[in-house]
């Protein structure tokens, strides 16, 4: 069984497993907000003009700031790495393919695939909600106001994505050492509290990509600096993934 076959099998599993259905919750935020806005609820207000892309990006940022996105992907990562290891399902895959590195990266890329798929689904839903319910109350409606907003939104979305990837990589490494239940709890704590604690420490606050996003939104850092930070942050996130891979290669799976 080669790598691409393993990857295709894991992606198929990612789409059809019951756990992945949780990611339909990503469309709930833009959908419910749009319905509430259309009904005139005071809980859903927008100041000034906003583009469809700006609305979608705002929804994605909210999912990241609240830790909701991180928690859902923690559950998926634990299912693919922790639960399958605890239940012995990985053993049968290894018997078909003795190359553990291929299995590990096939599973990891399937998680990344679902992250991208969830993001795209949320984005398409948010754009649809914008034109169905939000745009009708605005004088000017547009998908994107220009190149500057396009770059701004893409940069903001990337800063949220890399934080989710960092949390997922840490949880995957933990799954190689601990049971799935512990890893789930640890992942939830990291998603909700760890980065809040980090922000309270002057030097460590830059380890939180959402803090960089705040600085970026306040025009305190440039787009170039935000992208340089994203590349460095993404590179550092590979460290726990590498630790997890090394442990997986030597793991005694029963």
């Amino acid at each position: 069984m080669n790598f691409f076959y393993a990857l295709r099998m894991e992606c198929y599993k990612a789409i059809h497993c019951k756990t992945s259905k949780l990611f339909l919750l990503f469309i709930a935020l833009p959908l419910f907000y749009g319905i509430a806005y259309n009904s005139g609820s005071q809980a859903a207000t927008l100041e000034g003009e906003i583009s469809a892309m700006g609305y979608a990006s705002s929804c994605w940022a909210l999912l990241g700031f609240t830790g909701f996105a991180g928690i859902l992907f923690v559950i998926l990562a634990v299912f693919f790495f922790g639960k399958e290891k605890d239940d012995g399902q990985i053993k049968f895959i290894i018997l078909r393919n003795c190359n553990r590195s291929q299995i590990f990266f096939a599973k990891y890329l399937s998680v990344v695939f679902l992250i991208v798929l969830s993001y795209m689904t949320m984005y398409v839903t948010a754009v649809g909600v914008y034109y169905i319910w939000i745009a009708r109350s605005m004088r000017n409606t547009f998908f994107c106001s220009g190149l500057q907003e396009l770059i701004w939104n893409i940069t903001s979305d990337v800063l949220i994505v890399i934080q989710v990837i960092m949390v997922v990589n840490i949880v995957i490494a933990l799954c190689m050492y601990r049971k799935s239940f512990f890893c789930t709890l640890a992942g939830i704590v990291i998603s909700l509290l760890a980065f809040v604690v980090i922000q309270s420490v002057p030097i460590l606050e830059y380890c939180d990509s959402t803090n960089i996003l705040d600085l970026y939104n306040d025009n305190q850092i440039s787009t170039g600096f935000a992208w340089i930070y994203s590349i460095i942050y993404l590179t550092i996130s590979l460290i726990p993934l590498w630790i997890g891979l090394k442990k997986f290669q030597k793991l005694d799976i029963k």
Side-chain angles (χ1 to χ4, degrees):
M1 181 171 64
N2 58 34
F3 172 74
F4 293 103
Y5 178 81
L7 178 61
R8 185 174 60 187
M9 182 180 66
E10 293 298 331
C11 288
Y12 178 86
K13 187 192 303 180
I15 295 175
H16 291 86
C17 70
K18 293 181 179 179
T19 306
S20 65
K21 303 301 185 293
L22 290 172
F23 296 92
L24 293 175
L25 294 174
F26 275 96
I27 70 175
L29 176 63
L31 186 62
F32 289 155
Y33 193 94
I35 295 174
Y37 182 85
N38 184 62
S39 63
S41 173
Q42 294 183 353
T45 58
L46 293 172
E47 297 182 0
E49 301 290 329
I50 187 173
S51 66
M53 191 174 187
Y55 174 68
S57 185
S58 298
C59 291
W60 179 248
L62 184 58
L63 290 170
F65 276 122
T66 57
F68 185 77
I71 291 174
L72 289 182
F73 288 115
V74 161
I75 295 173
L76 181 71
V78 171
F79 173 81
F80 269 84
F81 288 90
K83 190 175 184 300
E84 289 192 357
K85 184 199 70 175
D86 297 344
D87 295 345
Q89 296 181 40
I90 290 182
K91 179 180 180 179
F92 296 103
I93 301 176
I94 292 175
L95 291 175
R96 298 179 62 187
N97 183 358
C98 60
N99 191 326
R100 293 195 177 197
S101 297
Q102 290 185 358
I103 297 172
F104 184 89
F105 283 112
K107 286 183 170 296
Y108 179 72
L109 289 179
S110 67
V111 175
V112 174
F113 165 74
L114 201 53
I115 292 176
V116 174
L117 184 63
S118 300
Y119 169 77
M120 293 176 61
T121 302
M122 186 282 305
Y123 221 90
V124 171
T125 302
V127 170
V129 167
Y130 173 85
Y131 283 108
I132 294 174
W133 286 306
I134 297 177
R136 65 174 63 180
S137 64
M138 294 187 176
R139 181 177 304 175
N140 299 313
T141 59
F142 40 88
F143 178 78
C144 181
S145 62
L147 180 61
Q148 183 176 0
E149 185 190 16
L150 176 64
I151 296 174
W152 191 281
N153 289 331
I154 291 175
T155 304
S156 300
D157 293 351
V158 167
L159 287 169
I160 297 297
V161 169
I162 62 173
Q163 185 188 50
V164 172
I165 291 176
M166 173 64 86
V167 173
V168 167
N169 289 356
I170 293 173
V171 170
I172 289 174
L174 286 175
C175 286
M176 299 300 105
Y177 293 89
R178 294 291 184 266
K179 295 293 185 179
S180 57
F181 180 74
F182 172 83
C183 296
T184 302
L185 291 180
I188 292 174
V189 170
I190 292 172
S191 299
L192 295 178
L193 300 177
F195 294 107
V196 176
V197 175
I198 287 175
Q199 285 189 12
S200 63
V201 182
I203 297 178
L204 295 180
E205 63 181 349
Y206 294 102
C207 297
D208 181 13
S209 63
T210 58
N211 179 54
I212 301 299
L213 179 57
D214 285 335
L215 296 176
Y216 181 65
N217 289 334
D218 294 337
N219 293 314
Q220 297 185 34
I221 61 173
S222 65
T223 301
F225 180 86
W227 278 97
I228 292 173
Y229 173 88
S230 299
I231 294 172
I232 296 174
Y233 193 91
L234 192 60
T235 302
I236 295 174
S237 73
L238 296 178
I239 296 176
L241 186 68
W242 179 81
I243 294 173
L245 172 62
K246 291 301 178 182
K247 180 64 177 178
F248 182 73
Q249 290 174 336
K250 301 177 182 178
L251 198 64
D252 182 20
I253 301 175
K254 299 180 181 180

